[in-house]
Amino acid sequence: MGNTYHPGEFSQEKTDHTAYNGSTERDGDVEVIGLPNDVFGEEDNHDIKYKTLTWPLVAVLMITEIVSNGMLTLPSSLDAVGIVPGVIVIVFLGAFATFTAWLLIEFKLRHPEVHNMGDAGYILFGPIGREILSGGTIIFAICATGSQILAGQLALTVLSDGKLCALAFAGIFSVAITIFSFPRTLENLSWLSVGGGISIIVAGIVAMAGAGAVPVDPGNIVITRASDFTSAFISITNPVFAYAGHFMFFILISEMKHPQDAMKAAWVLQIVATTFYVVFAVVTYWYIGTGVSSPSLLSLSPLWSKISFGLAIPNFFIAGSLYSHTAAKLVFVRLFRHSRHIHSHTVTGWSVWTVLILLANVAAFVFAVGIPIFNYLVGITASLFAAWYTYGLAGAFWLHDTYHFKRGYSAWFKRPISFVISVLTVLAGGFICVGGLYATIYSLKQAADAGELTAPFQC
């Protein structure tokens, strides 16, 4: 979009919105790390350094937390609406998520003090916005952790042929997630994420091979299917959730050496995710046929299902660790920003961090075993939170900064294409949120009326 602005063009109309020129600066032979006035400030003499991530490691973190269990619902989405509209939705949402990632990253470069969606909410809407978006981020992160616990519980149940109580498997998986979410910096999690990213990609490839080796009903697919509103929207919320990682982007970028490289990571993420989603969904659906399960690994033969679930387990608990780490990190930075507890090994700092990690993971465990319905969990989470964090808010970022940095409402109309797209982005977020919530809750009620829901906290 050539008629939009760039960070270096801003006039300093609002003193609390620091502009940045978007370049990598060097002072003699000393590399400049981070952005002026950023979250963590000067770190040279500190015990704990946050701004250590390179853009390839950020790309790996993004892939690990986004290309995860949500991918396993995509074949059932194709079955719900037909392969052609299903693929179109996946590709469109991938392209849309790339655009909104660009808007989000541009906003972060213009506002280095933003650490999370709550900080962005303060800039957009004041104190109320900060509390709502902070709370939403925490809830979404805990929901996402719970989703990974359910995925891990299911994987362990399949591997053991159900020989142990499923609740125990959820507890085992929760302990693993808790241990791996303890590091204070994302750099310590980034190297684990390499294994997590490889894990889910290999599991997906093996699952496709298994579907081809032992097909269920090959070629029996639906090109287009006339669906009611509820079924169609549930199928849309599945790919929405599969791209739902933008809520972590501010936190990830805040720990980069050079935040101006963040879009490189986003490009890698979206190319890998969109390509793999389409291939995985189409190949699996083709060989399994109509009636493919969600998650799709349950439709494979017992042997291939076990192999695929086993390979995916590292991704499930590492992605879960990233989500619970995010929930704890938001509160931790909110409590101790600009204090010595952020950068030093203090008793107070580590005690509070430990409590926050434990609270996040205990809440996720309770959430997971209290709502043990995979598709409904995905639908509610995606509709209520991902619709705004991944899509809708990005349009608000553009509208806000164009108004404040480019002299008012007239700036919107001088950029009509960007203005219309930004407004449509906000409306799309609202539409996905409201429609998805209605469809998922309606389906949940139908399942409850039919007696199809299992009781919570059961083996």
Side-chain angles (χ1 to χ4, degrees), residues 338-394:
H338 303 313
S339 78
R340 64 190 182 92
H341 302 298
I342 287 281
H343 289 288
S344 300
H345 295 293
T346 66
V347 173
T348 299
W350 276 107
S351 297
V352 171
W353 177 253
T354 300
V355 170
L356 291 173
I357 287 291
L358 292 175
L359 285 175
N361 285 287
V362 168
F365 170 77
V366 172
F367 182 84
V369 298
I371 311 177
I373 311 298
F374 190 86
N375 258 350
Y376 300 130
L377 176 65
V378 171
I380 291 171
T381 307
S383 302
L384 191 58
F385 302 112
W388 292 109
Y389 293 145
T390 305
Y391 300 108
L393 282 176

Side-chain angles (χ1 to χ4, degrees), residues 53-54 57 60-61 186-196 318:
L53 292 173
T54 60
L57 282 178
V60 170
L61 284 162
L186 285 168
E187 183 187 32
N188 291 325
L189 283 170
S190 64
W191 297 105
L192 293 171
S193 294
V194 173
I318 292 172

Side-chain angles (χ1 to χ4, degrees), residues 33 43 49-54 57 185-188 255-257:
I33 303 298
E43 295 189 310
K49 296 178 174 63
Y50 293 89
K51 296 183 290 185
T52 54
L53 292 173
T54 60
L57 282 178
T185 67
L186 285 168
E187 183 187 32
N188 291 325
E255 298 193 27
M256 290 183 70
K257 287 183 179 179

Side-chain angles (χ1 to χ4, degrees), residues 433-457:
C433 175
V434 175
L437 272 177
Y438 169 80
T440 307
I441 293 172
Y442 179 80
S443 295
L444 189 58
K445 183 179 181 300
Q446 282 191 320
D449 292 342
E452 298 173 355
L453 302 182
T454 60
F457 303 104

